[in-house]
Amino acid sequence: MARLLDPVLENDWHAVYLSSELKEKPIGITLLGERVALFRNSRGVQALRDLCIHRGAMLSKGWMKGDEIVCPYHGWRYDGEGRCVCIPAQPAGERIPPRTRTIAYACEEKYGFVWICLGEPAGSVPHFEEFADPAFRPLPCGPYKVKAAGTRVIENFTDFAHLMFVHQDLLGHPDYAELPDIQVVKEQDRIYIENIPIFQPVAHSGSDKQDGTTYVYRKEVFRPLSGRLSKTDPGNGQTLWILLTVSPVAEDECLVFMLVSRNYGFDADDANFIRFQDIVFDQDAQVIESQKPELLPLDLQAELNHRVDVFSVAYRRWLKELGVTVGTV
């Protein structure tokens, strides 16, 4: 798989793995076509290019020895900063050449995910209190494999008109398909909409409503492949929050990570919320994977746009302004 070059996405943070699944063994992931080895040592999670500088073996196929990852081919050992600290076939005490160093990537753990940046991050992974505070019971969901561009996934997130059909009887109903006028607010580092009422036939798990209700949505795209939403019952203030972030594996393949939190229904089984997201996203993925072209057209004349697509159109324009190329056409 060829490395995908995109200065915008290379310098962004991407969730790539569940923290709970990264244990004593190294694992390998692919981001923007680049193979990356993840492992834990006493300093936390580390991310190295998944390639031993000696003969190109995958470090993720090796094992841990103390704080160092061991190449399975000739036993070369690397620390978390990518330095080769041991060549077993070399006489003890002999200097290890500096060019044996491999590439280390910026790495963080947050919200139950491992995040990495292949380039130079401008800052840390964004902080959102509703997902960071354990009082809101944040629940990691996914990852979901999607055979489509990550940009298509985020555009689906910006779209309201599909709720009544793709998620019929769960998130919407065809009898309530008419949408209000939607105003998009654009700021330097995000685009968002708010105060969008959507009738949902099935109330959330843990809700005090027996039947469906009208939830008021707020949706925000704060990075090219990351967004968040809130759904609030205006009658009681019960709010569900969802963080959605997409890891571009290849031009037309991605992994989707979600985090769900809430301010109500703490007696309800957490598994109900995860199961609901699994069902909903599977419905989304089936449609997203059927779309042609697989990549998102930034030319607004390439597909027909309707006035209800205003948020999606704003997203496409924003990607073009930012200079995002991977996942677009």
Side-chain angles (χ1 to χ4, degrees):
M1 187 182 297
R3 168 72 181 269
L4 302 177
L5 302 179
D6 186 315
V8 179
L9 298 183
E10 288 178 78
N11 294 325
D12 202 359
W13 288 102
H14 302 277
V16 295
Y17 209 67
L18 291 172
S19 289
S20 60
E21 294 298 312
L22 184 59
K23 298 175 181 176
E24 68 279 358
K25 295 182 179 180
I27 64 96
I29 62 95
T30 302
L31 175 64
L32 290 169
E34 182 71 68
R35 296 191 318 203
V36 179
L38 301 178
F39 60 94
R40 289 189 184 278
N41 63 18
S42 63
R43 298 178 60 188
V45 176
Q46 312 295 330
L48 302 182
R49 188 182 184 200
D50 197 2
L51 182 143
C52 179
I53 201 70
H54 179 217
R55 287 293 183 266
M58 295 176 68
L59 295 176
S60 63
K61 300 294 186 182
W63 56 90
M64 297 300 298
K65 185 176 180 63
D67 275 355
E68 297 146 7
I69 187 171
V70 182
C71 174
Y73 199 3
H74 299 97
W76 288 29
R77 303 209 310 260
Y78 295 84
D79 65 14
E81 296 180 359
R83 289 184 297 251
C84 181
V85 296
C86 178
I87 299 176
Q90 178 175 293
E94 188 172 305
R95 178 175 175 269
I96 295 175
R99 63 190 298 263
T100 58
R101 186 179 190 130
T102 192
I103 299 172
Y105 300 114
C107 187
E108 286 191 21
E109 284 187 275
K110 193 160 190 173
Y111 309 131
F113 305 135
V114 175
W115 302 73
I116 64 173
C117 175
L118 298 181
E120 297 293 333
S124 299
V125 176
H127 180 81
F128 300 114
E129 190 63 22
E130 64 269 27
F131 303 115
D133 188 342
F136 295 120
R137 202 74 66 83
L139 303 170
C141 301
Y144 307 107
K145 295 181 180 180
V146 184
K147 189 62 179 174
T151 50
R152 282 290 195 185
V153 175
I154 296 296
E155 184 177 73
N156 176 77
F157 169 82
T158 68
D159 183 278
F160 279 105
H162 80 283
L163 300 180
M164 303 78 178
F165 301 94
V166 177
H167 310 299
Q168 184 173 336
D169 297 327
L170 283 179
L171 297 180
H173 191 279
D175 291 347
Y176 299 86
E178 183 176 338
L179 294 172
D181 289 335
I182 298 174
Q183 302 296 318
V184 180
V185 180
K186 182 176 181 293
E187 297 181 353
Q188 182 179 359
D189 57 353
R190 63 176 179 164
I191 54 175
Y192 68 91
I193 57 176
E194 54 190 357
N195 298 320
I196 310 298
I198 300 291
F199 175 76
Q200 183 169 310
V202 178
H204 294 149
S205 180
S207 170
D208 59 7
K209 301 290 180 63
Q210 295 301 312
D211 299 317
T213 189
T214 296
Y215 289 98
V216 176
Y217 278 74
R218 183 189 186 281
K219 285 191 177 186
E220 169 185 316
V221 180
F222 60 89
R223 291 301 298 156
L225 295 178
S226 296
R228 59 176 179 151
L229 69 78
S230 64
K231 299 168 61 176
T232 302
D233 183 342
N236 54 26
Q238 293 181 348
T239 301
L240 183 80
W241 294 279
I242 298 176
L243 173 69
L244 170 73
T245 188
V246 182
S247 176
V249 175
E251 190 85 67
D252 59 354
E253 181 182 349
C254 62
L255 282 178
V256 179
F257 294 82
M258 288 189 189
L259 198 67
V260 179
S261 57
R262 62 194 192 268
N263 67 357
Y264 68 94
F266 298 122
D267 292 336
D269 189 348
D270 289 344
N272 291 341
F273 293 88
I274 297 173
R275 185 162 48 247
F276 189 84
Q277 287 308 122
D278 290 346
I279 294 170
V280 167
F281 191 78
D282 181 66
Q283 293 173 337
D284 280 323
Q286 291 184 47
V287 173
I288 294 169
E289 290 182 338
S290 75
Q291 289 181 278
K292 299 293 180 182
E294 290 85 354
L295 309 185
L296 187 69
L298 299 189
D299 179 357
L300 298 183
Q301 302 304 313
E303 293 182 327
L304 182 62
N305 294 299
H306 188 271
R307 67 174 184 83
V308 299
D309 300 318
V310 61
F311 196 22
S312 301
V313 169
Y315 173 60
R316 294 186 182 197
R317 285 176 170 156
W318 192 45
L319 290 181
K320 191 170 185 177
E321 289 176 15
L322 293 172
V324 174
T325 57
V326 168
T328 68
V329 64

